[in-house]
Amino acid sequence: MAKTVNSIETNYGALFNDNYGDINFNHVSTKESELRKILDVMLESTVYDIDELDTSDYDIYAKLEHNNVAGEWMEIIFDYPAYEDAINDALKENEDGIPQKPKFLMQIRNYYRRAKTDLKIPPNCQDSIKEHSTAILNKVKNYYMEFLLGRNELQQHYDETNVQLLVAYGFVECKVLEKPLKA
């Protein structure tokens, strides 16, 4: 349907002051669908050992303090619960009936170990982990970003915030940084 704009007839779908143009809802993507697409690709190449996964309960605030997590990463971890259901849904069984959560957790744990090695953090040295917690979280994020950027089909869904939310998921699930010791 044609519209008249400043005495000029147009066939555009939207009009806002002097800005007008077609509206295309086919490219609208939600954070949840972007997270799902990223996870699908990440999980294609992951091998895991389900016996190593320990996600026992702990106090999230104690873990943040125990690892000296602050600033941007603390904010991301606090934002994470808004996306927890979407991430958990994406990590349910695949078409072959294989649970995806253990696979993802093992992959993120391996990135965490790699980050500690790259930063030359001695084994079981909580003081050093605490001192380098931001660098560790950034390295884990960067490993995922490198992996994802190598996958052309993900270019349109690539968003650093999505990757940070997945690292926050790994933190909450105790695969990135260390749980405080129980009293």
Side-chain angles (χ1 to χ4, degrees), residues 24-171:
N24 183 348
F25 291 102
N26 294 332
H27 292 85
V28 175
S29 181
T30 64
K31 174 104 24 223
E32 290 83 3
S33 68
E34 290 173 353
L35 287 167
R36 179 177 295 278
K37 287 176 179 133
I38 289 171
L39 280 167
D40 286 346
V41 171
M42 288 177 169
L43 293 169
E44 285 175 7
S45 63
T46 304
V47 178
Y48 66 96
D49 177 5
I50 200 161
D51 294 334
E52 188 178 324
L53 302 175
D54 171 24
T55 57
S56 56
D57 292 335
Y58 68 96
D59 177 19
I60 188 77
Y61 297 102
K63 183 173 180 184
L64 289 166
E65 184 178 327
H66 181 69
N67 290 284
N68 196 33
V69 176
E72 180 184 23
W73 279 106
M74 182 180 279
E75 291 175 24
I76 291 163
I77 291 165
F78 285 148
D79 288 345
Y80 155 78
Y83 302 99
E84 181 178 20
D85 289 341
I87 294 171
N88 280 326
D89 285 346
L91 291 174
K92 288 184 178 173
E93 292 180 353
N94 66 10
E95 306 83 40
D96 298 326
I98 299 169
Q100 299 300 291
K101 183 175 179 176
K103 197 174 183 181
F104 174 75
L105 293 177
M106 183 58 70
Q107 183 182 48
I108 201 161
R109 183 68 169 183
N110 289 337
Y111 281 157
Y112 169 56
R113 289 177 178 149
R114 182 174 154 197
K116 289 192 306 181
T117 300
D118 288 354
L119 292 167
K120 298 178 178 31
I121 295 174
N124 303 317
C125 184
Q126 184 58 36
D127 289 338
S128 190
I129 291 170
K130 193 173 193 173
E131 180 183 341
H132 295 93
S133 63
T134 299
I136 292 168
L137 291 165
N138 285 332
K139 280 217 172 266
V140 172
K141 175 194 72 172
N142 290 338
Y143 297 146
Y144 269 124
M145 289 172 29
E146 288 170 14
F147 173 78
L148 294 172
L149 287 174
R151 306 293 298 245
N152 290 335
E153 69 269 20
L154 281 181
Q155 293 295 323
Q156 64 187 358
H157 305 289
Y158 169 75
D159 177 350
E160 186 173 341
T161 305
N162 290 337
V163 177
Q164 288 172 316
L165 287 167
L166 296 175
V167 173
Y169 182 84
F171 174 86

